[in-house]
Amino acid sequence: MDKDEKWGGLTAGPNTLCGEANTGSHCRHVAPPNAQTKSDEFLKGMAKHLTGLSRLVDEQASRLHDMPFAAANRNSGIREIHGLSTIAQAIDDALSGSRREILTAQPDGPRPRKVLDDALESVRRHVAAGVVMRTLYQHTTRFDEATKEYVQEVTRLGASVRTLDEFFDRLIIVDDVAFIAANADRTSAVAVSEPAVVSFLRDMFNRSWDRAKPFPFAPNYAAMAAREVMPAMRDSIKRLLINGYPDKQIARRLGISERSLQSHIASMKRELGAHNRMQMGYLWGRGKGD
């Protein structure tokens, strides 16, 4: 039997609308009556099942849409928190149960004296209980008297403080829970307890900690601090200007006011002999000031 006979054997047979003498392309297969009925019933049942499944999916999606974020994600290890007072309470609750480690990254420069005074009491309690405490500030805090007094006291108690020119947004890790900002004005936050994410955030903190400089204490401190941190600040300002960041964003990333930033830029222009920012950028492009 050749391949044409085999093909004909698979497509022609007793259940066709063509006889032996009528084997043209208009022939079509017809299922036996019983088979046809069973096929129709199966398809109708399947259609009914899919319709019910689709309705169930829609109902579940609607419920998730109406459910609060925290409830919908209660098993995901992520909880969204809204409002400054609610965020503060959530952090306080975590701190009250801390047993091992508290890591804090506080950008935006110096903090108000009242905030530092309240934080000091918390540090005293936790260090006395054997909790390891490490805090990252930005370099600009080295010039703030309230911050210097606070750091000197917490260091005496056993906490560690270092500074960087710039780093990531606010981060607090209390044992196995991390708090990060969820919007630009930090009126919303996210509490993360998913182990893999907390481990990633802790590693990010540790890498920044390794690059940071210890907060020193010595006579003529301001002059010494300027010599230590000013080159790094100026390098950051230069890099951010070249990358096109506006003054407001640069100031926030470095933890200084826009006025202080403009003062730094004016000094940088004078050092280069530039009359404006455009000329300063041109001179940088030619390698001057590297």
Side-chain angles (χ1 to χ4, degrees), residues 160-258:
S160 299
V161 181
R162 295 184 181 183
T163 66
L164 273 175
D165 52 345
E166 61 168 325
F167 52 86
F168 42 85
D169 206 348
R170 184 161 294 160
L171 168 67
I172 299 174
I173 301 177
V174 183
D175 292 341
D176 300 318
V177 179
F179 295 88
I180 57 176
N183 58 4
D185 59 7
R186 301 184 184 128
T187 56
S188 292
V190 173
V192 183
S193 56
E194 167 58 43
V197 180
V198 176
S199 176
F200 174 85
L201 293 171
R202 182 179 286 109
D203 181 66
M204 185 173 69
F205 180 95
N206 286 332
R207 289 170 185 266
S208 295
W209 181 264
D210 291 341
R211 293 189 296 109
K213 297 179 179 295
F215 207 116
F217 301 98
N220 302 318
Y221 173 77
M224 180 178 295
R227 288 196 301 271
E228 288 183 352
V229 304
M230 200 62 69
M233 286 187 62
R234 293 285 175 86
D235 286 345
S236 294
I237 291 171
K238 176 181 176 180
R239 174 173 50 80
L240 293 169
L241 284 173
I242 290 173
N243 288 332
Y245 285 91
D247 286 5
K248 186 174 183 178
Q249 289 188 28
I250 295 175
R252 180 171 183 177
R253 288 182 61 157
L254 296 178
I256 59 178
S257 67
E258 289 187 58

Side-chain angles (χ1 to χ4, degrees), residues 33-86:
N34 289 341
Q36 186 71 43
T37 301
K38 291 181 179 179
S39 178
D40 290 343
E41 291 175 353
F42 172 78
L43 291 175
K44 289 178 181 178
M46 181 61 71
K48 184 178 180 180
H49 174 73
L50 292 175
T51 300
L53 183 60
S54 177
R55 184 170 59 251
L56 180 62
V57 170
D58 289 340
E59 289 174 358
Q60 292 298 323
S62 179
R63 290 176 185 173
L64 286 175
H65 177 75
D66 296 336
M67 192 181 299
F69 181 92
N73 293 277
R74 61 182 179 275
N75 296 321
S76 69
I78 297 176
R79 179 168 62 97
E80 194 166 272
I81 312 167
H82 300 287
L84 295 177
S85 60
T86 308

